[in-house]
Amino acid sequence: MKKFKKFYIEITSVCNLACTFCPPTKRSSTFIKVEDFTRILDEVRPHTDYIYYHVKGEPLLHPKIDQLLDLSHEKGFKVNLTTNGTLLPKNKHKLLGKPALRQMNISLHSFDGHQGSTDKEGYVSQVLAFAREASEQHNIIISLRLWNLTKDNATNAERMRNREILSMIEKEFGLDYFIEEQVVRGSGTRIADRIYINQDHEFQWPDLKEEEDDGKGFCHALRNQAAILSNGTVVPCCLDGEGVINLGNIHDKPFAEIIEGERATRLYDGFSRREVVEELCRKCDYRRRFSV
């Protein structure tokens, strides 16, 4: 039986922002139903201990996220949640005190990524206040993400693009150093107990319109991770936000059968041979990190 370190359950495809780094989904707007979520948890329980409420969409928009967290706890899961952070003040009563909630990843780069954003100081202040309360009073791990660096990060403007936000973080936590001096790109750097900052290159979603590579390489899809979109479509990883590699729908067939199906097996066996059989995978920059 396949076991996954990460299992993504998209609880909504809807987002309240329109960030330049995150292409809007062409799928219908969907919020997962509580009864469907419960059944999914039962089906994936033998396959994972950790679930992530994310592929596309902003999970804090789900009106019953508190119920989903309670159900996750009842079924024995630990939950990691990724959010743009704009809805934290409105929803913190649904999050804090929930024993299932292990970690929250807050994408601070969403502020600059969304053209309509206003009041950066107010936004960051609210996020940091939540981070303090969540970590100090509820033992939740907080990862503050700034995934907006360029590949070379060469110009002074690029190096300084996050300075205003980093300055606020340094002041809030009384840091006696510049964060840039301590951060290693792609790795979490501890700035307080259970609070980390993570800087990395701007994220690129794979797209069928992108240039295809030579089809050689490896990926952890269907080895370390799998995902279910809010409409029930099972996909091999969290990067297939459009359900291009549709392995089957959990509303039509049990999950255990879907991941042992023909298309899933072909993808899995292909990566075992370092061969990339799916077109979308041949156009994925993230996969190329493992092509060794």
Side-chain angles (χ1 to χ4, degrees), residues 103-230:
Q103 177 171 329
M104 292 191 64
N105 307 312
I106 305 173
S107 300
L108 294 177
H109 51 280
S110 299
F111 186 90
D112 288 333
H114 177 71
Q115 292 183 354
S117 295
T118 58
D119 188 16
K120 181 182 289 188
E121 184 175 355
Y123 163 72
V124 175
S125 296
Q126 289 179 338
V127 167
L128 297 184
F130 176 88
R132 272 195 176 278
E133 184 175 356
S135 61
E136 293 174 1
Q137 299 181 28
H138 301 278
N139 295 321
I140 298 170
I141 299 168
I142 301 292
S143 175
L144 304 172
R145 291 179 172 178
L146 283 166
W147 288 4
N148 58 0
L149 302 178
T150 59
K151 286 295 175 72
D152 55 8
N153 210 38
T155 69
N156 188 56
E158 288 166 340
R159 285 194 295 269
M160 297 297 290
R161 70 181 303 181
N162 293 322
R163 180 90 294 268
E164 186 178 358
I165 289 178
L166 295 177
S167 227
M168 287 185 251
I169 295 172
E170 290 159 1
K171 181 179 179 181
E172 173 68 26
F173 293 101
L175 304 182
D176 59 359
Y177 57 85
F178 291 115
I179 289 174
E180 299 99 314
E181 298 173 353
Q182 303 290 328
V183 167
V184 176
R185 186 189 63 77
S187 300
T189 301
R190 182 180 177 275
I191 58 173
D193 191 24
R194 288 183 293 277
I195 300 179
Y196 300 81
I197 187 158
N198 188 297
Q199 289 194 265
D200 210 333
H201 295 150
E202 183 172 313
F203 183 76
Q204 296 293 325
W205 288 87
D207 193 300
L208 291 176
K209 297 178 182 177
E210 296 299 319
E211 187 176 346
E212 191 168 312
D213 64 19
D214 62 3
K216 302 296 182 183
F218 178 75
C219 180
H220 294 289
L222 291 184
R223 276 179 166 77
N224 288 352
Q225 65 166 287
I228 300 177
L229 303 181
S230 54

